[in-house]
């Protein structure tokens, strides 16, 4: 193919390079810029016309001058895909950085994936057991779901993601799975923690790692999640693997998006983020799912840190509108020493209703879930009241709910980093807590489930008396 | 390839995302264009000097300046005829199953797919005969499209009045001629209509019939009329989509058009998998038999998302013109507004509030104005009811899309994250929501449900209002400080909230509650209230009353299919325990 080369850079503005030229250049075309010192940078066409082409440079514009050579490759950004990617560590733009050999591509895939036809999708239903009670019991993850972790700086979101990656399994199945881990702008230390953990558990062999660290070029972050998802799609749909994609930290991705938008002098939406951020995020998150007739699946667990712990900030807000729920971490629980500090009240899994209950987890799970939520919410509300009027002013009933909320956090949410609880254990633990409440308060659960699972009926009266004593 | 008139082919000058600028092209606003060698669909959205601005409905990656652009000379239109029902379309009416056949599991580019199947044959039965005079919009025959939908074939509203010269009965494809007018106009089973132009009708009629949704909080407290407009704003996770799905499932409309505008792919899949399995409580047939889906999910091209809302409403108006009651669920109008904002930004228009174009308010108003209960050209009465979900950023209702929507719509169902967090669903806040149709629908409820209906409704609302006032005091001093009668009122309000307002969308019985059952339940709660206060007078304590046996059974009656005996029994038990024999 004929390469078009130009030395007509007229303007460099932040991450953007403006090139005047004669030949037509395609929208989205991959660009190589050669600096006077011989080093090269890669970029992509953002805007093209007969007069001027705007290129966003992934590796930063430092050192680019008007004598640099711009070469339009006639190609779009693609990733070399192969089964051998498993076990490899790649840069944020898909080049191997683990000292290993080049990846011999079986296929070069454009990193901008086409949209899955909604008609071709299959609704996700398979329960994934993560071994974490606050997720499995309260906000169940299913295969093919996109369930982000909304965190804050300094909270142990990485530990939770690692624990999920380590423990996640579909009950009764021994199917091949792999983890794709994409780091965007995280520190070396954080990345090191992930890598060490992957190596220690041998998970690295079943993983592809894309690393864009805090000191790597910010604009490269726009490629990283797309690279990761392209690899995920290749392995899921060509090799029938079940893929868990961890994207961390999406906040850094959005910052890069804002940087480009500001450099292009676009009309900003909320807080300076571009108006198309929703659409842009959707093209990442919507690449999760299951497709009818295909074995492999893609489950996404993006992690983002909410600036100022503010869930209404555009990044968590737009994410929450696209993803199928969210796991929200709480600084308050973290301060109480509770791990994982999952605040179940604002957390949600939209797909759980289809993945729980009879035939999936256990028949009582849906109603149990309603009951646990209602009871915990009531207990948390009462804490506000106690702060004003004191615990003495509460009725006996209210005090039980207060105690329930405390125990819920201390016994149900709290668990070890290496504690892998199965779903039966989680549900039974919940029933033990519910047994603290008067039976007539359990209005969300049908009688038959109470009789079947309430400790009072299960383990004989003696056990129930114990629980009652403990409660009082 | 057919030769186009000179001037209808031009060249691309610039590409910026979904916006393409062409030169040397003769074009009018909203003409449909084919862009690039693949012939991507686009629509003219601006003319600046010699340059034509086109929004493209497909991904523009790989398109170059100098590539060819062709103007079809037609505005973006939809095909209206048999084959719409049960179908699922993208934003520009391409059937997704056809796209899947052509390009596989992922949506390819430049695929032309007509909205209606060209090969399917339909049994046409004329109801007019040779020599009859027909007006535009008149019904000339019928096609039994599904078990429940009799598709009426109309003289297109843009055809002149005439006399039937020929009309045929039998099995036809949509492109066969089924009738000829005296001026030679050939009529087919389908016609095209430009999506941005509202279809004509004779006159609008007052909205005096409620759209029964089977959702207690909606039908009882905040009803929407047939031909009315409603908005459901709420932060993420508060249940907008579940509410929209519930309305699509259980509304007593003849036809439901569900527009998935910029939302999640799996939500459309859910509808596709679930609706064929669910039974319409009125006809006993699968719900899919009356449903048309328009799905332009968030990752599909943004310009087509802008168009999807118009595609949906035009299809709805078409069925209205047959004399049907049509309900539109648009989920979510915020994504539509954002698509407008994105295109507007690319056009470098002067932004209004929060970057939205200054014409946001008028576009929203135009859209909602296409709702209404009307006398059709054929002389029937049909209606289009629009329920639009709104997704305010950060759940903040003061943002432009919510505010501009509320200025137009008559019903406001405010979703509340706090209710959702405690799993009170539907999480519709009864203090913030309102319906301006309550008064106009009073007579219908009095006539068709019960004379007592309006009074019961008023009473229950009053209790809930009073509860909110008392809660403020409780928050400060605790409930012990309240007098007994007020503490008892709180208990009654709790029953209304937990038994009546909470409705389980996923429970096979509770998912739909008939108006009759709503009335029975509300009446029973009022009855319990009266007994409560009688018992209080007779000297019982509030705790004794609130803990009375039988309440639990009463709460469960809503989950019973045949609820009446259980309700009677529960009431009787409560009465006995409270007041004795």
């Amino acid at each position: 193919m004929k390469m078009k080369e130009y030395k007509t850079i007229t303007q460099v503005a932040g991450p953007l390079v403006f090139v005047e030229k004669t030949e037509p250049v395609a929208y989205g075309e991959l660009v190589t810029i050669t600096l006077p010192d011989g080093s090269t940078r890669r970029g992509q066409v953002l805007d093209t016309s007969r007069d001027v082409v705007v290129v966003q440079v992934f590796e930063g514009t430092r050192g680019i001058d008007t004598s640099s050579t711009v070469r339009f490759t006639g190609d779009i950004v693609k990733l070399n895909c192969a089964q051998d990617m498993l076990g490899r560590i790649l840069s944020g733009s898909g080049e191997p950085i683990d000292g290993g050999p080049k990846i011999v591509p079986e296929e070069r895939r454009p990193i901008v994936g086409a949209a899955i036809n909604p008609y071709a999708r299959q609704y996700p239903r398979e329960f994934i057991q993560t071994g974490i009670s606050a997720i499995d019991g309260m906000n169940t993850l299913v295969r093919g779901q996109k369930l982000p972790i909304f965190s804050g700086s300094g909270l142990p979101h990485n530990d939770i993601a690692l624990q999920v990656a380590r423990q996640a399994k579909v009950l009764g199945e021994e199917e091949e799975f792999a983890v794709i881990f994409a780091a965007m702008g995280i520190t070396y230390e954080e990345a090191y923690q992930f890598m060490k953990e992957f190596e220690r558990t041998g998970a690295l062999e079943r993983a592809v790692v894309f690393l864009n660290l805090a000191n790597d070029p910010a604009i490269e972050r726009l490629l990283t999640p797309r690279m990761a998802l392209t690899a995920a799609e290749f392995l899921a749909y060509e090799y029938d693997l079940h893929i868990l994609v961890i994207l961390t930290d999406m906040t850094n991705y959005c910052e890069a998006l804002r940087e480009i938008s500001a450099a292009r002098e676009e009309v900003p939406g909320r807080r300076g983020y571009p108006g198309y951020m929703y659409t842009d995020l959707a093209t990442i998150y919507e690449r999760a799912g299951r497709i009818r007739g295909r074995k492999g699946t893609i489950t996404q667990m993006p992690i983002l840190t909410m600036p100022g712990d503010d869930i209404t900030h555009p990044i968590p807000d737009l994410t929450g509108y696209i993803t199928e729920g969210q796991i929200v971490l709480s600084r308050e629980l973290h301060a109480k020493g509770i791990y994982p500090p999952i605040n179940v009240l604002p957390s949600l899994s939209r797909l759980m209703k289809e993945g729980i209950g009879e035939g999936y987890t256990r028949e009582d799970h849906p109603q149990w879930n309603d009951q646990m939520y209602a009871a915990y919410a009531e207990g948390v509300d009462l804490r506000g009241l106690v702060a004003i009027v004191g615990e003495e002013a509460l009725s006996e009933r209210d005090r039980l709910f207060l105690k329930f909320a405390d125990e819920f956090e201390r016994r149900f949410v709290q668990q070890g980093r290496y504690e892998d609880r199965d779903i039966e254990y989680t549900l039974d633990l919940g029933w033990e807590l519910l047994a603290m409440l008067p039976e007539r308060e359990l209005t969300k659960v049908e009688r038959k489930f109470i009789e079947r699972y309430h400790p009072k009926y299960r383990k004989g009266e003696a056990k129930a008396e114990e629980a009652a004593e403990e409660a009082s | 390839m057919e030769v186009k008139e000179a001037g209808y082919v031009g060249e691309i000058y610039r590409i910026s995302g979904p916006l393409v600028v062409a030169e040397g092209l003769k074009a009018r606003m909203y003409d449909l264009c084919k862009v690039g060698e693949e012939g991507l669909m686009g629509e003219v959205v601006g003319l600046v000097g010699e340059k034509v601005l086109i929004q493209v409905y497909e991904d523009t990656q790989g398109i170059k300046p100098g590539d060819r652009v062709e103007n079809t000379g037609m505005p973006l239109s939809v095909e209206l005829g048999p084959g719409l029902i049960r179908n699922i379309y993208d934003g520009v009416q391409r059937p997704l199953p056809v796209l899947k056949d052509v390009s596989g599991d992922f949506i390819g580019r430049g695929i032309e797919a007509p909205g209606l199947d060209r090969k399917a044959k339909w049994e046409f039965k004329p109801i007019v005969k040779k020599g009859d005079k027909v007006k535009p919009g008149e019904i000339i025959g019928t096609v039994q499209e599904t078990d429940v939908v009799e598709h009426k074939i109309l003289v297109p509203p843009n055809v002149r009045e005439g006399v039937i010269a020929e009309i045929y009965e039998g099995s036809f494809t949509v492109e066969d001629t089924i009738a000829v007018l005296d001026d030679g106009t050939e009529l087919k089973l389908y016609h095209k209509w430009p999506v941005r132009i509202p279809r004509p009708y004779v006159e609008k009629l007052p909205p005096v019939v409620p759209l029964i949704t089977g959702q207690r909080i909606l039908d009882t407290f905040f009803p929407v009329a047939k031909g009315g407009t409603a908005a459901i704003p709420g932060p993420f996770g508060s249940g907008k989509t579940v509410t929209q799905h519930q309305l699509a499932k259980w509304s007593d409309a003849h036809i439901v058009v569900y527009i998935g505008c910029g939302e999640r792919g799996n939500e459309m899949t859910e509808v596709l998998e679930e609706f064929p399995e669910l039974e319409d409580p009125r006809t006993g047939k699968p719900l899919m038999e009356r449903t048309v889906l328009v799905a332009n999910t968030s990752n599909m091209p943004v310009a087509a998302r802008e168009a999807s809302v118009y595609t949906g409403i035009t299809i709805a108006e078409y069925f209205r013109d047959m004399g049907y009651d049509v309900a539109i669920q648009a989920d979510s109008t915020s994504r539509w507004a954002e698509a407008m904002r994105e295109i507007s930004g690319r056009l470098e228009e002067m932004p209004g509030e929060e970057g939205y174009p200054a014409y946001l308010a008028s576009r929203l108003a135009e859209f909602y104005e296409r709702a209404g209960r009307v006398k059709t050209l054929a002389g029937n009465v049909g209606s289009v009811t629009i329920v639009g979900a709104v997704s305010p950023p950060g759940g903040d209702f003061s943002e432009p899309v919510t505010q501009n929507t509320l200025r137009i719509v008559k019903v406001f169902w405010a979703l509340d994250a706090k209710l959702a967090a405690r799993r009170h669903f539907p999480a519709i806040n009864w203090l913030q929501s309102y319906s301006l149709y309550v008064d106009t629908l009073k007579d219908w409820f009095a006539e068709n449900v019960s004379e007592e209906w309006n009074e019961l409704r008023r009473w229950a609302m009053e209790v809930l209002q009073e509860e909110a006032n008392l809660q403020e005091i409780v928050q400060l001093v605790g409930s012990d400080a309240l007098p007994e009668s007020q503490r008892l009122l709180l208990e009654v309000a709790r029953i209304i909230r937990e038994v009546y307002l909470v409705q389980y969308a996923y429970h096979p019985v509770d998912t739909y509650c008939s108006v009759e059952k709503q009335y029975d339940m509300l009446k029973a709660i009022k009855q319990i209230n009266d007994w409560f206060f009688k018992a209080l007078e007779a000297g019982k304590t509030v705790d004794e009353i609130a803990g009375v046996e039988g309440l639990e059974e009463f709460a469960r009656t809503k989950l019973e299919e045949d609820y009446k005996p259980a309700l009677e029994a529960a009431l009787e038990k409560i009465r006995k325990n409270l007041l004795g024999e």
Side-chain angles (χ1 to χ4, degrees):
Chain A
M1 182 185 286
K2 196 183 130 222
M3 295 289 186
K4 294 161 272 186
E5 273 191 28
Y6 301 93
K7 283 204 169 206
T8 50
I9 294 180
T10 54
Q11 193 189 338
V12 181
L16 303 182
V17 168
F18 295 72
V19 191
E20 284 187 0
K21 42 93 228 169
T22 48
E23 294 282 312
V25 167
Y27 177 73
E29 203 168 312
L30 184 65
V31 179
T32 318
I33 298 174
T34 311
L35 274 56
D37 65 3
S39 65
T40 61
R41 304 278 165 81
R42 297 198 305 162
Q44 188 181 12
V45 175
L46 269 192
D47 193 325
T48 169
S49 72
R50 285 193 189 284
D51 307 323
V52 66
V53 173
V54 184
V55 178
Q56 69 173 0
V57 183
F58 298 125
E59 287 109 345
T61 48
R62 192 183 312 144
I64 294 183
D65 63 8
T66 48
S67 66
S68 305
T69 315
V70 182
R71 191 161 58 90
F72 297 99
T73 60
D75 200 0
I76 53 175
V77 185
K78 287 182 178 157
L79 176 72
N80 290 339
C81 293
Q83 197 185 10
D84 296 345
M85 277 192 294
L86 286 171
R88 299 299 300 271
I89 302 171
L90 310 172
S91 75
S93 52
E95 303 296 327
I97 51 169
D98 53 2
K102 277 208 150 216
I103 290 167
V104 182
E106 293 168 35
E107 194 185 332
R108 298 191 66 235
R109 289 194 166 212
I111 64 161
V112 179
I116 301 176
N117 187 330
Y119 185 73
R121 279 183 188 269
Q122 186 170 19
Y123 199 75
R125 289 201 168 81
E126 289 164 291
F127 162 63
I128 296 182
Q129 180 176 300
T130 65
I132 298 173
S133 291
I135 297 179
D136 291 351
M138 308 300 286
N139 294 289
T140 319
L141 177 69
V142 298
R143 207 173 242 176
Q145 185 173 14
K146 37 191 180 292
L147 188 64
I149 298 178
F150 286 9
S151 183
S153 34
L155 297 180
H157 43 262
N158 290 341
D159 290 349
I160 298 172
L162 275 171
Q163 192 169 359
V164 170
R166 197 164 52 226
Q167 299 177 353
K169 59 181 153 295
V170 169
L171 296 180
E173 279 186 43
E174 282 299 322
E175 280 179 338
E176 283 205 275
F177 77 99
V179 175
I180 304 237
F181 175 74
M184 290 158 281
I186 64 171
T187 61
Y188 173 77
E189 227 168 292
E190 284 173 287
Y192 179 73
Q193 186 201 354
F194 272 100
M195 303 308 300
K196 208 180 76 181
E197 183 66 24
F198 281 151
E199 268 172 46
R200 198 183 62 78
T201 57
L204 191 58
E205 284 167 43
R206 310 294 310 156
V208 187
V209 177
F210 291 85
L211 283 185
N212 166 287
L213 298 183
N215 57 348
D216 287 330
I219 305 306
E220 190 184 79
R221 279 163 215 164
L222 296 178
L223 296 181
T224 313
R226 296 193 166 82
M227 294 276 175
L229 286 161
T230 306
E233 282 167 3
F234 176 79
L235 293 171
Y237 303 139
E238 302 300 324
Y239 284 93
D240 294 342
L241 297 182
H242 294 288
I243 310 279
L244 174 68
V245 183
I246 298 173
L247 305 168
T248 179
D249 174 332
M250 286 305 289
T251 303
N252 295 329
Y253 171 86
C254 295
E255 299 297 342
L257 203 63
R258 177 162 70 172
E259 193 179 329
I260 284 285
S261 172
R264 295 185 69 186
E265 298 175 6
E266 289 170 337
V267 179
R270 271 211 311 157
R271 301 215 193 167
Y273 293 95
Y276 50 78
M277 190 156 90
Y278 176 83
T279 308
D280 190 276
L281 287 174
T283 59
I284 294 175
Y285 297 142
E286 276 288 325
R287 287 170 81 173
R290 299 173 66 191
I291 294 179
R292 270 188 283 151
R294 295 193 193 231
K295 273 198 187 144
T297 58
I298 297 174
T299 308
Q300 265 190 40
M301 188 166 267
I303 297 169
L304 57 87
T305 47
M306 300 182 278
D309 291 348
D310 176 10
I311 199 168
T312 68
H313 184 280
I315 299 171
D317 191 53
L318 295 180
T319 299
Y321 273 121
I322 303 164
T323 54
E324 283 137 355
Q326 65 276 338
I327 303 288
V328 182
L329 305 191
S330 145
R331 201 166 292 280
E332 195 193 323
L333 288 177
H334 183 60
K336 280 188 194 169
I338 289 170
Y339 172 89
I342 295 174
N343 182 359
V344 299
L345 294 181
S347 300
L348 172 72
S349 165
R350 288 167 191 273
L351 301 184
M352 71 182 292
K353 61 178 195 296
E354 294 280 339
I356 63 171
E358 208 170 348
Y360 298 99
T361 53
R362 204 170 74 185
E363 52 173 2
D364 55 325
H365 193 169
Q367 293 180 10
W368 172 97
N369 180 268
D370 279 346
Q371 190 64 62
M372 292 285 282
Y373 259 104
Y376 179 59
E378 180 143 11
V380 170
D381 273 0
L382 286 165
R383 279 183 191 161
L385 192 56
V386 168
I388 300 167
V389 297
E391 199 166 333
E392 298 74 35
L394 293 187
S395 66
E396 181 58 27
R397 172 188 175 277
D398 287 355
R399 251 171 277 176
L400 288 177
F401 274 94
L402 204 58
K403 187 157 163 47
F404 175 88
D406 291 341
E407 292 288 301
F408 177 83
E409 290 169 5
R410 266 202 296 272
R411 288 173 57 197
F412 185 85
V413 177
Q414 164 87 303
Q415 69 182 84
R417 281 172 168 73
Y418 290 89
E419 187 181 349
D420 191 354
R421 295 179 178 170
D422 67 29
I423 184 68
E424 290 274 336
Y425 180 89
T426 292
L427 292 173
D428 290 344
L429 179 60
W431 274 111
E432 258 176 58
L433 297 179
L434 289 174
M436 291 166 37
L437 303 173
E439 222 176 289
R440 75 176 177 94
E441 294 292 337
L442 305 181
T443 53
K444 309 240 174 209
V445 204
E446 277 177 64
R447 190 76 220 157
K448 60 176 182 192
F449 294 141
I450 293 181
E451 279 162 15
R452 232 169 273 169
Y453 299 105
H454 194 292
K456 179 172 141 193
Y457 299 95
R458 279 186 107 181
K459 295 164 192 166
E461 294 293 327
K463 245 323 198 331
E465 271 162 30
E466 254 177 54
E469 256 167 50
E470 209 183 299
S472 58
Chain B
M1 196 174 163
E2 63 181 307
V3 182
K4 281 278 166 188
E5 207 182 315
Y8 280 95
V9 176
E11 275 188 4
I12 294 178
Y13 167 75
R14 175 184 170 197
I15 302 125
S16 173
L19 184 77
V20 165
V21 182
E23 293 179 310
L25 188 71
K26 210 193 245 174
R28 294 168 301 182
M29 283 295 277
Y30 297 117
D31 274 354
L32 194 67
C33 296
K34 305 250 154 117
V35 175
E37 309 309 318
E38 290 165 289
L40 310 183
M41 266 171 103
E43 194 180 12
V44 176
V45 291
L47 301 167
V48 182
E50 291 294 291
K51 298 202 165 63
V52 178
L53 311 180
I54 301 167
Q55 62 172 353
V56 179
Y57 298 131
E58 300 179 68
D59 181 26
T60 52
Q61 189 148 291
I63 307 285
K64 288 199 280 291
D67 285 358
R68 143 199 179 92
V69 181
E70 182 190 315
N71 184 358
T72 63
M74 289 274 295
L76 177 67
S77 301
V78 286
E79 296 186 350
L80 302 168
L84 288 168
I85 304 285
R86 281 185 298 216
N87 220 328
I88 174 167
Y89 293 111
D90 76 351
V92 288
Q93 214 209 3
R94 294 184 303 179
L96 291 175
V98 175
L99 294 189
K100 183 173 183 285
D101 288 344
V102 177
S103 73
D105 295 336
F106 298 88
I107 296 176
R109 295 199 304 182
I111 303 166
E112 266 192 77
L116 298 175
D117 190 339
R118 290 291 182 269
K119 290 197 194 95
K121 291 220 168 188
W122 303 97
E123 210 57 46
F124 174 68
K125 285 202 190 83
I127 57 167
V128 295
K129 54 188 187 305
K130 211 165 149 174
D132 283 357
K133 206 165 153 190
V134 289
K135 294 193 307 267
E138 198 167 324
I139 298 163
I140 57 167
T142 61
V143 163
Q144 194 68 40
E145 183 171 357
T146 69
D147 283 345
V148 294
V149 177
E150 187 184 57
H151 197 114
K152 298 178 178 153
I153 307 301
L154 311 171
V155 178
N158 50 1
V159 160
R160 249 181 296 172
E161 187 171 304
V163 174
I164 300 271
E166 297 289 343
I167 189 157
Y168 315 104
E169 182 166 356
S171 187
F172 301 101
T173 69
V174 289
E175 286 203 308
D176 293 334
T177 301
I178 48 148
V180 183
L181 298 184
D182 54 347
D183 63 355
T185 309
E186 292 184 351
L187 301 184
K188 296 175 179 176
L189 286 179
Y190 85 112
H191 63 272
K192 289 190 177 184
W193 191 264
V195 296
R196 293 182 196 275
I197 299 175
R199 288 172 63 89
Y201 50 85
V202 177
E203 60 172 339
K204 278 211 176 171
L205 302 171
V208 290
V209 182
L211 182 80
I212 298 299
T213 64
Q215 310 303 303
R216 286 188 290 269
I217 186 165
L218 304 187
D219 291 344
T220 306
F221 295 109
F222 311 109
V224 61
K226 283 188 174 134
T229 52
I232 321 180
F236 61 82
S238 56
K240 276 185 303 299
T241 301
V242 177
T243 309
Q244 289 276 36
H245 281 195
Q246 286 297 93
L247 292 173
K249 284 175 195 166
W250 311 123
S251 293
D252 68 338
H254 298 111
I255 308 285
V256 169
V257 179
Y258 193 100
I259 310 172
C261 175
E263 289 287 311
R264 304 176 183 87
N266 276 330
E267 285 170 1
M268 297 317 295
T269 312
E270 187 183 357
V271 173
L272 278 172
E273 289 188 12
E274 201 179 17
F275 276 34
E277 307 291 325
L278 287 171
E279 207 173 80
D280 185 337
R282 277 161 296 269
T283 61
K285 300 287 180 196
L287 283 170
M288 205 63 200
E289 304 271 290
R290 61 157 198 185
T291 309
V292 184
L293 300 172
V294 179
N296 212 89
T297 56
S298 54
N299 54 339
M300 282 156 77
V302 68
R305 191 195 302 167
E306 197 267 338
S308 65
V309 163
Y310 295 100
T311 298
I313 186 111
T314 309
I315 293 172
E317 284 177 340
Y318 172 62
F319 284 104
R320 173 203 70 190
D321 290 347
M322 299 177 200
Y324 288 129
D325 292 317
V326 187
I328 288 196
Q329 325 302 327
D331 185 13
S332 149
T333 57
S334 292
R335 304 299 161 228
W336 172 49
E338 281 165 15
M340 269 192 258
R341 172 167 74 180
E342 194 172 332
I343 304 291
S344 165
R346 305 266 184 192
L347 291 171
E348 290 167 10
E349 291 173 339
M350 185 68 81
E353 219 180 328
E354 288 192 17
Y356 286 103
Y359 47 78
L360 172 72
S362 59
R363 288 282 169 88
L364 282 168
E366 275 167 30
F367 169 64
Y368 281 106
E369 261 310 287
R370 289 176 77 168
R373 187 161 161 266
V374 305
K375 187 172 168 204
T376 65
L377 295 181
N380 299 320
V381 175
S383 70
V384 172
T385 311
I386 301 181
V387 177
V390 184
S391 321
D396 171 15
F397 290 173
S398 69
E399 59 91 40
V401 182
T402 314
Q403 282 307 312
N404 284 311
T405 304
L406 289 185
R407 277 166 44 200
I408 311 157
V409 300
K410 298 282 191 294
V411 180
F412 172 44
W413 295 323
L415 290 169
D416 187 335
K418 273 208 186 118
L419 289 175
R422 60 181 56 211
R423 299 306 191 256
H424 172 113
F425 285 116
I428 294 169
N429 185 310
W430 50 92
L431 298 171
Q432 276 182 38
S433 305
Y434 60 78
S435 164
L436 300 182
Y437 296 116
V438 169
D439 283 332
T440 47
L441 297 176
K442 258 191 174 139
D443 294 346
W444 188 94
F445 281 109
E447 239 168 73
N448 293 278
V449 187
S450 161
E451 290 285 345
E452 295 164 84
W453 173 271
N454 294 304
E455 175 53 26
L456 279 173
R457 178 195 176 277
R458 195 200 53 75
W459 168 78
M461 202 62 213
E462 197 177 275
V463 172
L464 291 171
Q465 294 279 359
E466 187 60 28
E467 183 200 25
N469 295 338
L470 292 176
Q471 282 295 357
E472 280 177 24
I473 302 172
V474 172
Q475 289 296 323
L476 287 176
V477 294
S479 64
D480 285 347
L482 293 180
E484 297 259 286
S485 64
Q486 291 187 338
R487 281 180 57 207
L488 195 55
L489 182 135
L490 289 182
E491 292 299 330
V492 175
R494 197 156 83 109
I495 296 174
I496 298 179
R497 276 192 288 114
E498 292 183 0
V499 180
Y500 197 76
L501 296 184
V502 168
Q503 189 168 353
Y504 301 107
Y506 302 113
H507 189 282
V509 174
D510 203 32
T511 183
Y512 173 78
C513 186
S514 69
V515 192
E516 189 198 353
K517 189 170 174 183
Q518 296 186 27
Y519 168 68
D520 287 341
M521 283 178 69
L522 204 54
K523 204 169 92 174
I525 293 174
K526 178 72 167 60
Q527 181 64 262
I528 292 171
N529 169 75
D530 295 348
W531 289 334
F532 270 19
F533 281 92
K534 222 168 170 185
L536 189 68
E537 264 172 43
K540 290 211 161 155
T541 69
V542 172
D543 287 336
E544 276 169 1
I545 297 172
V548 67
E549 285 205 27
L551 272 183
E552 233 179 287
E553 283 94 327
F554 170 69
R556 292 189 210 290
T557 52
K558 66 176 173 183
L559 307 178
E560 307 267 344
E561 179 95 63
D562 181 21
Y563 65 96
K564 284 196 179 179
L567 186 69
E568 292 295 321
L571 281 181
E572 184 54 25
K573 192 168 173 189
I574 293 170
R575 196 191 61 80
K576 262 194 194 156
N577 287 327
L578 278 177
L579 307 170
E581 288 310 315

